[in-house]
């Protein structure tokens, strides 16, 4: 009963975080959209750290009004080899919401010693979309892996071109080096050379 209560409290906390987060506008460039790390206040940051292991919160600003959808993907690599796509969220962007405060929220949460969950969310007022995927991590915790994460503080986005925005790696190697900006196959190769690596990307589509 105690474990069940803790699980429900975590779920309530996650819902509360998604409703609580507020947006910050990013700098614009010659592109279809821009993303920028959201500035969270101390309470928001502390709450996220209590209920998630790794989290990403970005403000999204759409410049091209022909954009119809945003995509968030999470790819999983082992020792430099692509294993599978853990999650993909394709969220529609309604025309009347393009000028609103838009936010992307991605986080993972340990559930048990052998299972974790990944959640990707798009927030646009009443038009919110979210997907959660459970991932088997049997054996990983027993290896005493260290973890590290990194990514872009801000970036420009172009239609039909997926951009890596963050990397999360687990390894028992002496050093963990995270590449914040992955722009080439060589960058991706270096970023995924560890035992367990998660690559998070964002893309835009002209069709829902």
């Amino acid at each position: 009963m105690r474990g069940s209560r803790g699980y429900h409290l975590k779920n309530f906390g996650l819902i509360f975080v998604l409703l609580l987060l507020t947006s910050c506008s990013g700098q614009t460039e010659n592109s279809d959209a821009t993303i920028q790390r959201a500035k969270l206040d101390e309470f928001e940051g502390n709450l996220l750290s209590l209920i998630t292991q790794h989290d990403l919160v970005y403000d999204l600003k759409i410049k091209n009004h022909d954009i119809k959808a945003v995509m968030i993907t999470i790819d999983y690599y082992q020792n430099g080899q692509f294993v599978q796509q853990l999650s993909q969220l394709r969220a529609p962007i309604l025309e009347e919401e393009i000028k609103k405060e838009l936010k992307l929220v991605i986080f993972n949460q340990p559930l048990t010693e052998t299972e974790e969950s990944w959640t990707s969310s798009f927030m646009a007022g009443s038009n919110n979309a979210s997907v959660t995927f459970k991932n088997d991590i049997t054996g990983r915790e027993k290896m005493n892996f260290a973890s590290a994460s990194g990514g872009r503080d801000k970036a420009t986005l172009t239609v039909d071109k997926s951009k890596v925005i963050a990397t999360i790696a687990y390894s028992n190697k002496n050093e963990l080096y995270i590449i914040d900006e992955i722009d080439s196959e060589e960058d991706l190769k270096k970023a995924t050379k560890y035992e367990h690596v998660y690559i998070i990307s964002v893309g835009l589509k002209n069709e829902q």
Side-chain angles (χ1 to χ4, degrees):
M1 291 294 294
R2 186 176 179 181
S4 176
R5 180 174 178 270
Y7 177 76
H8 288 303
L9 284 174
K10 282 186 177 182
N11 280 346
F12 176 78
L14 294 175
I15 294 172
F16 181 65
V17 167
L18 293 177
L19 293 175
L20 177 68
L21 294 173
T22 56
S23 293
C24 303
S25 60
Q27 299 297 318
T28 61
E29 297 180 18
N30 186 21
S31 59
D32 294 308
T34 59
I35 58 170
Q36 182 167 342
R37 293 260 193 169
K39 296 180 181 179
L40 308 180
D41 62 31
E42 184 177 2
F43 176 74
E44 293 166 343
N46 289 339
L47 184 58
L48 274 174
S49 66
L50 284 174
I51 58 180
T52 69
Q53 190 170 18
H54 296 283
D55 57 82
L56 300 164
V57 184
Y58 282 94
D59 295 318
L60 171 66
K61 185 170 184 179
I62 302 294
K63 298 171 62 180
N64 180 351
H65 287 202
D66 292 328
I67 300 299
K68 302 298 182 185
V70 60
M71 295 182 65
I72 303 172
T73 60
I74 303 174
D75 293 331
Y76 174 52
Y77 289 77
Q78 285 185 354
N79 298 306
Q81 299 296 316
F82 174 77
V83 177
Q84 64 174 321
Q85 186 174 94
L86 291 181
S87 174
Q88 182 182 90
L89 171 68
R90 183 170 182 144
I93 301 177
L94 305 180
E95 184 176 356
E96 61 268 24
E97 293 172 336
I98 285 181
K99 293 185 178 181
K100 291 185 178 180
E101 296 177 342
L102 309 177
K103 193 176 294 294
L104 307 177
V105 182
I106 306 103
F107 57 82
N108 85 318
Q109 179 187 22
L111 300 178
T112 67
E113 290 186 356
T114 60
E115 192 175 50
E116 66 181 359
S117 69
W118 286 87
T119 298
S120 302
S121 300
F122 169 69
M123 304 173 66
S126 60
N127 178 33
N128 297 325
S130 182
V131 62
T132 298
F133 179 86
K134 292 182 179 180
N135 184 41
D136 185 0
I137 56 171
T138 301
R140 192 178 75 187
E141 296 301 320
K142 295 180 180 179
M143 296 299 293
N144 295 318
F145 284 144
S147 68
S149 62
R152 303 175 191 267
D153 288 330
K154 59 182 178 180
T156 58
L157 301 176
T158 305
V159 173
D160 293 330
K161 291 184 179 180
S162 181
K163 176 166 288 189
V164 175
I165 61 168
T167 303
I168 299 170
Y170 292 82
S171 176
N172 58 11
K173 296 181 180 180
N174 291 333
E175 292 185 0
L176 263 173
Y177 176 72
I178 299 297
I179 299 176
D180 288 333
E181 298 187 3
I182 298 176
D183 294 314
S184 67
E185 288 296 325
E186 185 64 25
D187 291 340
L188 183 62
K189 184 178 180 180
K190 292 178 180 179
T192 59
K193 65 182 180 180
Y194 302 106
E195 289 90 330
H196 302 278
V197 181
Y198 303 88
I199 299 293
I200 301 166
S201 305
V202 173
L204 303 172
K205 297 294 181 182
N206 278 336
E207 298 179 353
Q208 292 188 358

